[in-house]
Amino acid sequence: MNLPPLMSPPVHTERILPWLVLHTCPAPGHGYVTACLVARTRAAEPEQIAGVDVALQTWTDSERARVLDRLGCVQLGVRNGALTMVYSAGDAAHLPAMIGGCAAAWDDATGDPVRARAEAARHAWLSGATPAAASRRAFYDHLYAPAPPLLHDTVAPGQLATCSAPQVGEARAGIRGRGLVHLLVVGQADHDLVRDTALECLSGWRPAADPEPEPLQTPAMAAVTPVAQHAAQWGGCHIRLGAPAPGREDDDLTAFNVALLIAGGAFPSRLVTLVREDSGLAYRITAATVRHLDAPVAVIEADCSPASAPRVVDEIRRCLASLASRGPTQAEVDTARRYVQGSSAIALSSLASRAQWLGSKIALDVDREHECLWHKRLYSLTVDDVRAAASRWLDPDRFTGIVQGGEQR
Amino acid sequence: MQKLVQESPVCIQLDNGLRVVAFHVPEAPAAAVCVHYGVGFRSEPRSGFAHLFEHAMFQSGGRHFDAVYSVGGTANGSTLPDYTEYSQAVPTDAVRTVLELEASRMARLDLDQAQLRNQIAVVREEIRTNVTTRPYGGFPWTVLPCHLYTSWYNGHNGYGDLADIIDTTVEECQAFHAAYYSPGNAVVTVCGGIDPQRAVTAAAQAFDSIPARPVTALELDADTCAGRVSGVHADAVAPRPAFALGWPMPDPSTSPVMYRAMVVLAFYLGGPGLPLRRALDDCGADVSCSAGFFGPWRARHPDTMVVTVTHPASRRGDDLAAVVDKHLRPDLTAFRPEDVAAATARCATDALRPLTDIQSLASALGVSELLWSDPAGVFTLPGRIEATTCDEVAAAGLYLSEAPSALVTTGANR
């Protein structure tokens, strides 16, 4: 099957070293290039996660990062947990420095480890000081009873502050020593030229251990339990409800994704209309699938006042129940399909989002066969398919959750 | 740095005064459509009105979000001091539809009291989510201006208090629309995988029939305080103390070199591994710095240079503010060329970033046309920033050290 052109940017993939796969993708733009290194950290214990965090922070303060700064390149972002992506972006003329810079992220120990530890701990502390962050921690502990550490964005500030130098060194070696590493270059750069540059920059950056990825481990979930409410000092509430969602091999996946989109996955969804536009109960309400290896969770989140929280939870449950029992309309399914198509066109029109889109597919091993199957299902989807998926996965009684903030009721 | 953009944006002005900017991004399967109106919270009749009005515009003529979503796109709005931005990203074949939607709400505000009442509730929840329950929410842009500027329009909180907007009527919204949402006070920008001449023609067809209306303009003065004024802002959820220092920036129209140097200075003061950040790191403090509350060249004069520091309770904010002041003065802390070069490179890269994203680029082109009548300036900006010298940045530091300023502290009650 041919993929719709909007969703299928041409990617040239080549294994250029036993441990390194190069992907290049032309992109709209004017000479700006993004280079992205994708690797699995495999960090699963708090000590390992702390080591990765501090290693990344050390890099920010390192001489190599400053060299990149002076060239006009910039680190765009890093994701931790099951995978790590390091971006550089800048003028195409600086591609060698960017590719070398991505790799050097893991090796450069010139940054001040004391400063890095303190800074990582401060960031963890500040980013955890909101109802949403507290709710995320409580929710995953509730759902997985308790959550494996890798599901948390980071670890406790105290663990970061006391992270030892051997832990940081082990994290660095672990990142570059496990499985395949992928180099993705998006923008107006010739594949052969990028290959030569990558070989020159990365040949000496060898993995220490086996070249094949370790199998992904699916975290086990606890039994679904009723919604719990946690009191805290905030004047607002963060509601987070979730339930296990279909994995990527599940036949229901496409229909479920469309059902969740109709429920709350895009701005004029049923939940936004009910909770925000018709009743003004919340400013933000969203529904999305959060993937943790292959243990995906459908998560619905809303911010509202403590007084409104019970009503918002009721509205969410009513909305899910209606979708699960009566299904969507044909118009909703058609609109959702157009939205999926439009979103990919928008994502592919910008360099960073195109790199993120492709980087995520690489990291999650979404190959062309998967992609074709997904599109085939999307375009042949019926109202009955979506209703059946909603009935299996969006029944409100499957959901558990946290209401974080406000007074104890 | 190589010249990244070889083309210029296409710009026209319709008979009704509307300006249209179009720029082609080859091979992009989508396009961004922005409409910028030359009215923001500095022009509003009472605190929070312009932002509420932005919400009301999305209700006009049915629900704008639904219409954009149904063609596979996304939409958003934002209200800044001197302009309000309505932005959409859509597959290229839906550009004409979005232009017609925008033209419809520019021509006429179609709103009833029930819709308005509901949006007042949504704004209340937005402020609760983004300001009152979020540590450092809205800090310092909602609380510092009232100390630094003496006039209401420069100094008030643009997010607003619910008490000020709760009784807003549809008639007041209609009057605001008539005064400020005229074609002559707006710029339409189309940017993406669409031929710019086709985009301009589509825009002309959509907007040409809207009659010209008088343009209401606000005369702004830099009515600053004298010396340094201090204030305290209560924040019950801030996990540790913080302070913000603000200074009025020079006018970018009359002092472009000094303004540009100040933009680089912001990267110098907040940059990792650079002198101020290292000095504050040693005290366990974080620093961020911004030329302009919402970024440089995003507001008319006067805009504000702001340094924000969060720090341990064991450190006195006044002592750390003195560290910031010391790093502004070349006679007390040397501006090393290699440090300024690092800040300049980072600043130039920051100016490049919008060129890689159709939505950011459409926004930048529209703002540059609306405020500075220079959309092409977006493309020459990285080069101009790179030309900034160490002496110019040191002079910008000295300028601030002699300027009036405001110091607002928060989070000290925990």
Side-chain angles (χ1 to χ4, degrees):
Chain A
M1 180 198 174
N2 290 326
L3 291 173
L6 287 183
M7 297 185 176
S8 175
V11 180
H12 188 163
T13 296
E14 183 183 5
R15 193 157 175 163
I16 61 172
L17 286 169
W19 53 272
L20 181 66
V21 182
L22 171 66
H23 312 259
T24 54
C25 176
H30 297 274
Y32 208 78
V33 171
T34 287
C36 172
L37 205 63
V38 182
R40 291 224 171 88
T41 66
R42 313 299 303 150
E45 299 302 323
E47 294 75 17
Q48 290 173 308
I49 296 175
V52 172
D53 269 7
V54 176
L56 294 173
Q57 199 61 52
T58 311
W59 178 54
T60 305
D61 192 41
S62 72
E63 286 175 11
R64 284 307 293 254
R66 271 179 244 154
V67 168
L68 284 176
D69 270 353
R70 287 187 189 120
L71 287 173
C73 304
V74 65
Q75 178 200 0
L76 288 184
V78 175
R79 264 199 261 169
N80 199 357
L83 64 103
T84 294
M85 295 163 73
V86 180
Y87 295 93
S88 296
D91 192 313
H94 298 138
L95 197 55
M98 287 156 59
I99 292 174
C102 278
W106 310 119
D107 295 338
D108 192 319
T110 55
D112 179 346
V114 176
R115 192 194 310 278
R117 279 199 295 270
E119 191 131 321
R122 272 207 306 278
H123 288 171
W125 190 29
L126 287 173
S127 65
T130 61
S135 133
R136 186 168 53 235
R137 285 192 301 272
F139 174 74
Y140 288 126
D141 281 337
H142 187 65
L143 190 63
Y144 291 93
L150 68 85
L151 294 190
H152 292 311
D153 286 351
T154 185
V155 291
Q159 282 173 309
L160 291 164
T162 57
C163 180
S164 69
Q167 273 174 257
V168 178
E170 196 180 310
R172 277 203 192 93
I175 289 162
R176 73 187 183 110
R178 307 277 176 82
L180 286 175
V181 175
H182 298 265
L183 174 65
L184 171 64
V185 175
V186 179
Q188 293 176 355
D190 174 71
H191 180 87
D192 293 341
L193 183 69
V194 175
R195 185 212 301 119
D196 294 345
T197 305
L199 288 172
E200 193 176 319
C201 294
L202 299 178
S203 286
W205 193 74
R206 292 180 189 284
D210 57 313
E212 294 306 322
E214 295 168 12
L216 300 177
Q217 288 181 352
T218 301
M221 288 186 191
V224 172
T225 52
V227 170
Q229 178 152 325
H230 288 235
Q233 75 276 30
W234 296 285
C237 270
H238 188 84
I239 297 168
R240 191 182 295 259
L241 305 181
R248 65 179 192 162
E249 304 295 343
D250 198 301
D251 289 347
D252 268 349
L253 179 63
T254 312
F256 167 81
N257 283 343
V258 168
L260 196 63
L261 194 61
I262 291 167
F267 191 86
S269 62
R270 287 188 180 193
L271 281 172
V272 169
T273 303
L274 270 172
V275 173
R276 173 182 152 134
E277 294 295 278
D278 285 351
S279 53
L281 290 171
Y283 169 60
R284 187 161 37 231
I285 181 160
T286 60
T289 305
V290 181
R291 302 203 165 272
H292 299 122
L293 304 182
D294 204 24
V297 185
V299 179
I300 296 169
E301 293 180 72
D303 294 290
C304 63
S305 72
S308 302
R311 194 173 151 202
V312 173
V313 171
D314 283 347
E315 293 284 10
I316 293 170
R317 290 179 60 84
R318 238 196 314 274
C319 170
L320 294 176
S322 162
L323 202 54
S325 61
R326 290 195 285 280
T329 63
Q330 184 66 51
E332 283 179 317
V333 173
D334 292 342
T335 302
R337 213 178 346 236
R338 270 199 301 278
Y339 179 78
V340 172
Q341 193 171 9
S343 306
S344 62
I346 293 163
L348 294 173
S349 290
S350 297
L351 209 62
S353 55
R354 181 175 285 217
Q356 270 178 353
W357 166 289
L358 294 171
S360 294
K361 284 207 292 191
I362 290 167
L364 295 169
D365 293 330
V366 177
D367 58 20
R368 196 168 173 80
E369 194 182 333
H370 263 99
E371 214 178 2
C372 287
L373 184 62
W374 197 83
H375 285 296
K376 190 176 166 188
R377 285 179 174 162
L378 178 68
Y379 286 95
S380 61
L381 209 57
T382 66
V383 168
D384 286 341
D385 295 335
V386 180
R387 178 171 45 230
S391 158
R392 275 191 284 275
W393 298 96
L394 293 182
D395 177 347
D397 290 339
R398 297 183 71 246
F399 279 70
T400 185
I402 297 292
V403 178
Q404 188 79 29
E407 298 301 316
Q408 181 76 57
R409 288 172 179 275
Chain B
M1 189 175 292
Q2 71 184 72
K3 188 170 183 243
L4 292 178
V5 174
Q6 311 296 333
E7 304 166 48
S8 294
V10 173
C11 308
I12 63 158
Q13 185 163 29
L14 305 184
D15 290 344
N16 58 16
L18 179 71
R19 288 168 279 173
V20 180
V21 178
F23 187 74
H24 184 218
V25 177
E27 298 169 35
V33 177
C34 281
V35 182
H36 290 91
Y37 291 94
V39 57
F41 57 75
R42 264 205 282 221
S43 307
E44 63 194 1
R46 54 183 188 274
S47 172
F49 189 95
H51 173 230
L52 171 64
F53 186 83
E54 173 218 308
H55 278 249
M57 279 287 276
F58 282 101
Q59 306 297 312
S60 185
R63 283 179 171 153
H64 188 90
F65 285 114
D66 296 30
V68 176
Y69 171 74
S70 72
V71 295
T74 59
N76 209 345
S78 52
T79 307
L80 277 78
D82 297 322
Y83 65 86
T84 304
E85 175 180 288
Y86 299 90
S87 66
Q88 287 90 184
V90 290
T92 45
D93 58 7
V95 166
R96 185 180 294 275
T97 305
V98 170
L99 288 169
E100 285 166 0
L101 287 167
E102 285 290 10
S104 167
R105 61 182 179 176
M106 181 185 289
R108 178 170 172 267
L109 177 69
D110 181 9
L111 178 74
D112 63 37
Q113 194 65 42
Q115 289 172 315
L116 181 60
R117 196 179 315 116
N118 199 60
Q119 288 308 310
I120 290 169
V122 172
V123 168
R124 178 193 63 208
E125 293 307 316
E126 179 179 348
I127 292 171
R128 185 198 310 280
T129 301
N130 290 345
V131 180
T132 52
T133 66
R134 176 176 292 183
Y136 315 112
F139 185 76
W141 74 269
T142 59
V143 294
L144 190 141
C146 66
H147 300 286
L148 186 59
Y149 302 105
T150 54
S151 71
W152 182 85
Y153 56 80
N154 279 331
H156 77 279
N157 170 7
Y159 230 149
D161 289 323
L162 191 64
D164 285 336
I165 56 169
I166 199 159
D167 295 324
T168 301
T169 63
V170 169
E171 290 69 31
E172 288 174 296
C173 291
Q174 296 289 6
F176 195 73
H177 185 270
Y180 294 108
Y181 278 65
S182 59
N185 197 30
V187 175
V188 173
T189 308
V190 182
C191 173
I194 179 170
D195 174 72
Q197 291 298 343
R198 261 188 58 214
V200 162
T201 303
Q205 286 169 348
F207 289 89
D208 223 6
S209 62
I210 302 173
R213 300 198 294 263
V215 173
T216 307
L218 178 70
E219 293 296 322
L220 295 169
D221 295 317
D223 51 333
T224 51
C225 62
R228 173 160 292 173
V229 173
S230 296
V232 177
H233 168 63
D235 182 343
V237 292
R240 57 185 201 156
F243 66 86
L245 277 163
W247 303 261
M249 295 171 69
D251 187 337
S253 301
T254 57
S255 308
V257 174
M258 178 62 84
Y259 186 94
R260 194 180 68 217
M262 205 152 286
V263 176
V264 176
L265 178 67
F267 283 80
Y268 173 81
L269 293 175
L274 297 179
L276 176 61
R277 181 115 164 226
R278 292 186 80 88
L280 292 172
D281 273 349
D282 292 341
C283 306
D286 276 324
V287 60
S288 63
C289 188
S290 174
F293 277 123
F294 300 92
W297 292 285
R298 290 256 158 187
R300 297 184 199 280
H301 183 65
D303 201 358
T304 307
M305 176 86 158
V306 60
V307 172
T308 307
V309 175
T310 61
H311 60 91
S314 57
R315 295 279 184 169
R316 289 184 65 240
D318 285 348
D319 294 343
L320 298 177
V323 173
V324 177
D325 287 332
K326 184 180 155 195
H327 282 80
L328 295 175
R329 290 183 49 180
D331 56 326
L332 297 180
T333 309
F335 282 60
R336 298 191 310 162
E338 59 269 35
D339 290 339
V340 173
T344 305
R346 191 179 275 268
C347 183
T349 299
D350 198 61
L352 269 174
R353 201 172 302 159
L355 308 188
T356 72
D357 177 275
I358 56 168
Q359 288 167 278
S360 306
L361 183 53
S363 171
L365 288 167
V367 172
S368 196
E369 168 60 34
L370 182 79
L371 298 183
W372 318 115
S373 304
D374 180 23
V378 169
F379 301 115
T380 57
L381 186 58
R384 282 182 281 143
I385 287 170
E386 282 190 327
T388 306
T389 67
C390 185
D391 287 345
E392 287 169 346
V393 177
L398 188 61
Y399 176 103
L400 288 188
S401 71
E402 294 169 350
S405 60
L407 169 68
V408 180
T409 57
T410 193
N413 54 332
R414 287 172 62 85

